[in-house]
Amino acid sequence: MKLTYYGHASFLVEVKGKKILFDPFITQNDLAKNIDIEKIECDYIVISHAHSDHTGDVVAIGKRTKATIICAFELYQWLSKKGLENFRPMNTGGKWTADFGSVKCVVAQHSSCFEDGTYGANPLGFVFNTDEGDFYYSGDTALTMDMQLIPKWAKLKFAVLPIGDNFTMGADDAVMAAEFVQCNKVIGVHYDTFGYIVINHEDAKKKFAEKGKELILMGIRETIEI
Ligand code: NI
Ligand code: MN
């Protein structure tokens, strides 16, 4: 598997020859200015919730690539009015088996609303089972007891967790989340983009290391083999 980071909570996973893009928010992210979204190719776009820092570029990228958008049912209703055509609408607890493996929607404790005030459904996290390994993207969330269920569904190779605090978990709770989901390798997201969520990278890494876990903070546009 390959993972490319596009800043904030946006990243792309390549698994079984398929490209899965998560929460595209690039053109409005000052830290990601050097990324040309016209060059991003993907087969699927996974959207965790309606907030603009997760949906900012979904219409542009979705229209050009014709990627299948995996999102909550109400997000599908809103996005389908914006000219997007290919969807897999889902909701909490549901699982879908596709060509890359399977994806299961899990609880995220957050809020979800479009900028125009349209209801954005419950926010979602996602557990992926694939032949190349399992992974979890929590989406924007607080630490929740529900995360303890995830090891029943997957043996995680890595987890993508927010660590920026203020709007989501901070590093301390993300360490506990990594314990709940039984995963030692965490990709940190949702930090530094805005003043409210600027963090000390070394402190965050130390908190994970103290529990025998690795926190990976990727450069924007960096790709790693994972
Ligand atoms: Ni949010
Ligand atoms: Mn967010």
Side-chain angles (χ1 to χ4, degrees):
M1 255 187 291
K2 265 193 212 166
L3 193 149
T4 301
Y5 184 50
Y6 290 127
H8 198 52
S10 185
F11 57 99
L12 183 127
V13 172
E14 293 183 57
V15 58
K16 285 190 84 178
K18 298 295 167 188
K19 293 182 173 173
I20 310 169
L21 177 66
F22 294 78
D23 284 352
F25 168 72
I26 297 161
T27 53
Q28 297 165 67
N29 180 358
D30 286 339
L31 301 181
K33 282 273 180 269
N34 58 355
I35 296 172
D36 180 1
I37 61 164
E38 296 299 313
K39 299 214 168 86
I40 296 176
E41 296 302 335
C42 54
D43 303 289
Y44 299 90
I45 305 176
V46 176
I47 304 292
S48 64
H49 64 296
H51 287 158
S52 59
D53 61 320
H54 299 259
T55 55
D57 292 311
V58 64
V59 173
I61 298 174
K63 273 188 186 166
R64 179 177 52 80
T65 60
K66 308 247 185 289
T68 299
I69 296 159
I70 301 170
C71 61
F73 184 78
E74 291 85 345
L75 269 69
Y76 145 72
Q77 290 180 308
W78 190 88
L79 291 168
S80 61
K81 289 181 194 138
K82 305 283 170 190
L84 298 176
E85 290 168 12
N86 302 318
F87 289 93
R88 179 68 186 201
M90 298 184 71
N91 212 333
T92 321
K95 181 174 170 175
W96 176 46
T97 300
D99 49 6
F100 54 77
S102 67
V103 54
K104 184 180 179 73
C105 301
V106 298
V107 170
Q109 183 60 53
H110 190 64
S111 59
S112 180
C113 182
F114 287 100
E115 269 181 329
D116 63 5
T118 306
Y119 170 63
N122 288 329
L124 298 174
F126 303 92
V127 176
F128 285 77
N129 297 111
T130 84
D131 292 348
E132 296 175 22
D134 300 344
F135 65 96
Y136 167 53
Y137 170 46
S138 71
D140 282 9
T141 185
L143 176 68
T144 74
M145 295 299 279
D146 300 84
M147 289 171 178
Q148 297 182 56
L149 288 169
I150 288 170
K152 295 187 184 296
W153 300 316
K155 194 170 165 31
L156 301 179
K157 203 173 185 184
F158 66 94
V160 180
L161 305 177
I163 55 167
D165 221 327
N166 196 83
F167 298 118
T168 66
M169 294 188 283
D172 289 301
D173 284 354
V175 170
M176 286 171 69
E179 288 175 337
F180 282 0
V181 303
Q182 297 176 17
C183 183
N184 285 330
K185 188 176 280 192
V186 171
I187 312 293
V189 297
H190 216 277
Y191 64 96
D192 284 0
T193 320
F194 323 110
Y196 294 122
I197 58 173
V198 172
I199 64 157
N200 181 312
H201 295 197
E202 292 316 308
D203 279 0
K205 285 182 187 170
K206 211 187 321 163
K207 289 175 200 288
F208 280 81
E210 280 164 3
K211 298 288 182 183
K213 299 185 183 300
E214 183 187 10
L215 174 66
I216 300 171
L217 300 181
M218 295 176 66
I220 293 177
R221 252 165 87 178
E222 184 184 351
T223 299
I224 56 172
E225 197 67 59
I226 194 158

